[in-house]
Amino acid sequence: MTENMRSLRNFFLYKCLFALTFWNHVSLSVENELFTSVSNSFPEDGSDKKIKSLPLLYTNGYQSKANFDWVVIQNTTESLSLSEITNDNVKKLVALLSNFRQVSGLQNLTLTNVSVDWNALMEIFQTAWHSSVEYFSINSVTQLSDVESYNFDYSGTAMKAVSMTKVLITDLYFSQDVLYKIFADMNITALTIAESEMIHMLCPSSNSSFRYLNFLKNDLTDFLFQNCDKLIQLETLILQRNKFESLPKVSFMTSHMKSLKYLDMSNNLLRHDAADAQCRWAESLTELDLSSNQLMDAVFECLPVNIKKLYLQNNQITSVPKEMAELKSLEVLNLASNRLSDLPGCGGFTSLEFLSVEMNSILTPSANFFQSCPRVRELQAGRNPFKCSCELQDFIRLERQSGGKLSGWPAAYVCEYPEDLQGTQLKDFHLTELACNTVLLLVTALLLTLVLVAVVAFLCIYLDVPWYVRMTWQWTQTKRRAWHKHPEEQETILQFHAFISYSERDSLWVKNELIPNLEKGEGCVQLCQHERNFVPGKSIVENIINCIEKSYKSIFVLSPNFVQSEWCHYELYFAHHKLFSGNSNSLILILLEPIPPYIIPARYHKLKALMAKRTYLEWPKEKSKRALFWANLRAAISINLPMPDGQRCGEID
């Protein structure tokens, strides 16, 4: 660049800075500082780049040179941001914008903190409309008053998009149609009016060029665009955070929007009852956001048939009805933060690829989900109150086989129940195959039961348990009958020194040796023998019990013949029963002949125990030892018994 050209550039730049800033008093140092900061936005020597953005601040002041040449800023600035616009400086703003004709490079205009009346705002709009501005944004419009009819000229504009945020109208009484008609008839592709407490919007007067409408956070209701057939090019409609209540009315609103693809109805008050009117959506609609409403299961009866992406999070859905209409094109379904108790099947969503059911009430997800939904590539099911059980273990195994389709695994998948497993990640939860396989558990339990029954049966047979049960029953019955017959004789009176139990094959020894030596010796010994003391008419068992009860001792003559006798077994059992019930040492064992252990039947385990633990008298073969034998035996049965005539028998030495 030549020296003359560099000087010319600096000259125009200097003039531009003074023209765009209105200061009452500006010192040289401030001018130099502003010059430095803005000049950095200008192109370097030899470059033909344009200035991208030039922020300016309006203050009360005056323009130093009325006939300023605007060529430099017109050709170099693409974005311009102005702040603090009031009725006092609006004419200067209009004058400034008038210089940006359609041949100018200015494309983006942003006004912030605008406090003007209606006519002033319309004048700003009209001026920008016929400039080179394509994207016009106004933020924070306050004290908008004196709303009245305005003949707006929409022709010959480069404008593509208008955005208005936080518009406050101070007029209490004005024609709504006057306000809304200005914006409804704009021949642009995108319009945003957000956070402005807008209660309505008119249908355009003719076929509209709108492709994008954003009415975020207003007070719009179900009456919006009803029976409006002018929005035939509209593709995106955002009505988030308004006051819509009826889902069928929303569907009818879209029915004339032939090009609509995306609709955002989140954060409203939408409901739908199965008894409500049928829904009729735009056939072109492929993406619908119904999150954060009051929708329940019936919502699945009122959905666009060609929908591809559906957002239903944060509603009151408990299940996906199986009889719902099939949504063959649905690829994305978000059901997070609802009340689902299980994973939905894919019977109505044959093309589903993404499903979110986070933060629901799912305790045990169905293990066959991926089988019924083979096209699903990602499942978000974390942050549910999982119940760690066998059913959940099947789902965990499914995750390992799914190839990482569970999004958020393992951090978002934690046991909630039972309490002792609370906080345990599902990946660390394990149960044995036996605990979770019902068939295997039943078979194992059955086998264990059979083994237990077999062991018990074997022990019963080996130890002759039925015999002991029968004897116990007979003992109990005999005692009960005796009590009923003679209730006054509850205390048994001893009549015999000893009851003798022996095998019939050993009777000769008993009659020739035992009885004579005890009864005919010194003293007055009375022995109870079944042949002479059993009462006719009573059962043998009853006689045995009575004799044992009335005897001070029970003498058992043990031999191989004894263990072969059934009745001897009875007598031993009842005597042993008395030993424990009376807590006395009433048994005397006489070993007449040695008994090999192998010939003692298994049911004689009590006899084995007695012989192992108790001292018994062994019949001596040498005659010289028999005197001591008899002396020991007499001492063992020594007791004074009452005689029939009231006298007492002398004690036996």
Side-chain angles (χ1 to χ4, degrees):
M1 179 182 290
T2 64
E3 190 67 29
N4 290 335
M5 292 180 62
R6 184 178 295 107
S7 299
L8 180 63
R9 189 201 72 162
N10 292 336
F11 170 75
F12 278 115
L13 177 60
Y14 185 74
K15 292 179 65 177
C16 176
L17 291 172
F18 273 89
L20 293 178
T21 55
F22 300 92
W23 304 90
N24 289 328
H25 301 283
V26 181
S27 64
L28 181 61
S29 60
V30 174
E31 291 174 4
N32 291 336
E33 181 180 352
L34 181 61
F35 178 85
T36 302
S37 63
V38 177
S39 64
N40 288 335
S41 299
F42 281 82
E44 298 292 336
D45 292 345
S47 172
D48 59 354
K49 293 182 180 179
K50 298 179 180 179
I51 299 175
K52 296 297 183 181
S53 178
L54 184 61
L56 297 175
L57 178 67
Y58 268 86
T59 61
N60 293 329
Y62 60 92
Q63 187 172 351
S64 61
K65 295 186 179 181
N67 299 320
F68 184 75
D69 190 346
W70 296 89
V71 176
V72 174
I73 194 167
Q74 289 177 4
N75 291 329
T76 58
T77 303
E78 290 184 1
S79 299
L80 181 62
S81 297
L82 304 173
S83 180
E84 310 303 330
I85 311 300
T86 66
N87 285 324
D88 295 333
N89 57 32
V90 69
K91 291 189 179 299
K92 298 173 184 178
L93 173 62
V94 170
L96 173 63
L97 296 179
S98 298
N99 290 279
F100 292 97
R101 300 301 178 183
Q102 293 189 3
V103 294
S104 169
L106 183 63
Q107 298 179 2
N108 305 298
L109 175 61
T110 300
L111 304 181
T112 304
N113 295 334
V114 180
S115 180
V116 297
D117 60 25
W118 173 254
N119 284 329
L121 181 65
M122 289 297 98
E123 190 175 358
I124 295 173
F125 261 98
Q126 191 70 83
T127 305
W129 207 263
H130 295 111
S131 69
S132 62
V133 174
E134 297 180 1
Y135 303 97
F136 186 20
S137 176
I138 302 182
N139 301 319
S140 188
V141 181
T142 59
Q143 298 182 4
L144 183 61
S145 59
D146 302 325
V147 179
E148 59 184 9
S149 178
Y150 189 92
N151 188 18
F152 197 90
D153 181 10
Y154 297 103
S155 64
T157 183
M159 193 72 69
K160 296 180 180 179
V162 171
S163 174
M164 298 184 66
T165 305
K166 297 181 179 179
V167 179
L168 176 62
I169 300 176
T170 57
D171 269 5
L172 297 178
Y173 304 100
F174 64 94
S175 173
Q176 299 283 334
D177 289 357
V178 169
L179 176 66
Y180 299 134
K181 181 176 175 58
I182 292 293
F183 300 100
D185 289 341
M186 286 182 172
N187 53 339
I188 56 179
T189 58
L191 173 63
T192 297
I193 302 178
E195 303 180 56
S196 301
E197 300 181 359
M198 182 171 63
I199 62 174
H200 192 54
M201 176 55 69
L202 294 177
C203 180
S205 303
S206 59
N207 288 342
S208 174
S209 58
F210 285 136
R211 295 180 181 273
Y212 175 94
L213 288 178
N214 184 350
F215 298 146
L216 169 70
K217 201 175 181 181
N218 285 287
D219 294 330
L220 298 171
T221 65
D222 297 331
F223 296 104
L224 179 70
F225 294 150
Q226 291 296 321
N227 300 314
C228 178
D229 58 356
K230 306 301 182 181
L231 298 169
I232 56 176
Q233 297 186 55
L234 185 63
E235 297 178 356
T236 300
L237 178 57
I238 299 175
L239 298 174
Q240 182 184 0
R241 295 185 181 276
N242 280 276
K243 296 182 178 179
F244 292 89
E245 297 182 2
S246 173
L247 188 61
K249 288 184 179 180
V250 171
S251 73
F252 278 100
M253 174 191 70
T254 69
S255 61
H256 298 291
M257 301 174 182
K258 306 300 182 183
S259 303
L260 186 64
K261 297 179 180 179
Y262 175 79
L263 174 61
D264 185 352
M265 297 299 303
S266 61
N267 291 279
N268 277 278
L269 306 172
L270 288 175
R271 294 174 176 267
H272 177 61
D273 192 339
D276 287 348
Q278 295 296 315
C279 299
R280 188 172 65 193
W281 297 90
E283 294 184 1
S284 58
L285 187 59
T286 58
E287 188 169 354
L288 177 60
D289 192 340
L290 296 174
S291 60
S292 299
N293 281 283
Q294 301 174 16
L295 298 168
M296 303 179 74
D297 299 359
V299 67
F300 290 96
E301 301 176 5
C302 181
L303 292 174
V305 294
N306 297 321
I307 195 72
K308 291 184 178 181
K309 297 180 180 180
L310 179 60
Y311 306 97
L312 287 168
Q313 63 268 32
N314 196 24
N315 278 283
Q316 301 174 20
I317 300 170
T318 59
S319 64
V320 178
K322 294 182 179 180
E323 61 276 6
M324 62 167 289
E326 186 175 1
L327 302 177
K328 296 181 179 180
S329 302
L330 187 63
E331 299 174 355
V332 175
L333 176 59
N334 193 330
L335 291 170
S337 300
N338 277 280
R339 301 177 182 177
L340 296 173
S341 58
D342 198 2
L343 296 175
C346 291
F349 320 124
T350 54
S351 300
L352 191 64
E353 297 181 0
F354 172 88
L355 173 64
S356 176
V357 289
E358 290 185 314
M359 293 180 288
N360 275 273
S361 301
I362 301 175
L363 300 179
T364 52
S366 299
N368 62 349
F369 172 76
F370 288 112
Q371 294 178 354
S372 64
C373 304
R375 299 190 62 178
V376 170
R377 294 183 297 179
E378 182 178 352
L379 171 63
Q380 292 181 353
R383 286 175 280 186
N384 274 285
F386 294 112
K387 179 182 179 182
C388 287
S389 60
C390 292
E391 293 79 5
L392 189 63
Q393 187 131 303
D394 294 337
F395 180 77
I396 297 172
R397 280 195 293 268
L398 182 65
E399 186 280 330
R400 295 169 185 155
Q401 302 169 3
S402 67
K405 292 182 179 180
L406 275 186
S407 177
W409 180 271
Y413 297 80
V414 177
C415 298
E416 184 70 21
Y417 307 103
E419 189 173 347
D420 59 328
L421 292 175
Q422 191 174 35
T424 303
Q425 289 189 354
L426 266 58
K427 71 179 181 65
D428 299 325
F429 168 67
H430 302 286
L431 287 176
T432 63
E433 184 69 21
L434 179 61
C436 291
N437 191 322
T438 305
V439 175
L440 182 59
L441 183 62
L442 289 175
V443 170
T444 304
L446 181 59
L447 290 176
L448 290 176
T449 302
L450 291 176
V451 170
L452 180 61
V453 169
V455 170
V456 171
F458 172 78
L459 292 176
C460 287
I461 295 173
Y462 181 77
L463 300 177
D464 205 7
V465 173
W467 184 90
Y468 284 104
V469 172
R470 187 170 70 253
M471 290 300 100
T472 302
W473 172 255
Q474 290 185 2
W475 171 276
T476 304
Q477 291 298 101
T478 300
K479 298 290 288 184
R480 186 179 62 84
R481 285 195 298 269
W483 186 87
H484 282 293
K485 288 182 180 180
H486 305 288
E488 69 283 354
E489 299 179 2
Q490 294 302 307
E491 185 177 350
T492 304
I493 300 175
L494 296 177
Q495 299 179 8
F496 306 100
H497 286 84
F499 167 72
I500 306 172
S501 175
Y502 58 92
S503 170
E504 192 63 32
R505 296 179 181 179
D506 299 325
S507 60
L508 291 177
W509 183 85
V510 172
K511 294 176 182 179
N512 296 332
E513 294 288 347
L514 181 62
I515 294 177
N517 280 284
L518 292 180
E519 288 188 338
K520 295 179 180 180
E522 297 179 2
C524 184
V525 177
Q526 299 182 39
L527 300 177
C528 180
Q529 183 190 17
H530 68 273
E531 292 182 355
R532 65 187 186 187
N533 295 107
F534 276 13
V535 179
K538 291 185 178 181
S539 66
I540 297 177
V541 173
E542 189 173 357
N543 273 306
I544 292 173
I545 293 173
N546 287 335
C547 285
I548 292 174
E549 289 286 327
K550 294 178 181 180
S551 300
Y552 173 54
K553 301 283 186 178
S554 294
I555 299 174
F556 290 89
V557 180
L558 305 180
S559 68
N561 298 322
F562 182 92
V563 298
Q564 301 298 323
S565 172
E566 185 75 15
W567 292 112
C568 289
H569 192 197
Y570 290 164
E571 293 165 352
L572 178 63
Y573 174 80
F574 292 133
H576 192 258
H577 190 277
K578 178 185 176 183
L579 172 66
F580 286 99
S581 62
N583 196 22
S584 62
N585 190 12
S586 60
L587 296 182
I588 299 176
L589 304 179
I590 297 177
L591 185 61
L592 184 61
E593 297 178 16
I595 305 175
Y598 64 87
I599 70 169
I600 301 178
R603 63 186 182 184
Y604 275 60
H605 65 279
K606 288 186 177 180
L607 176 59
K608 293 180 180 180
L610 288 172
M611 293 182 67
K613 295 181 180 180
R614 298 177 66 85
T615 302
Y616 54 86
L617 296 174
E618 187 173 358
W619 171 248
K621 300 300 182 181
E622 300 87 347
K623 292 183 179 182
S624 60
K625 297 180 180 180
R626 292 178 181 177
L628 180 60
F629 172 84
W630 296 119
N632 289 334
L633 184 56
R634 289 191 188 96
I637 62 174
S638 174
I639 190 175
N640 291 330
L641 295 177
M643 300 300 292
D645 57 359
Q647 296 180 353
R648 301 184 66 84
C649 184
E651 184 179 4
I652 300 175
D653 294 329

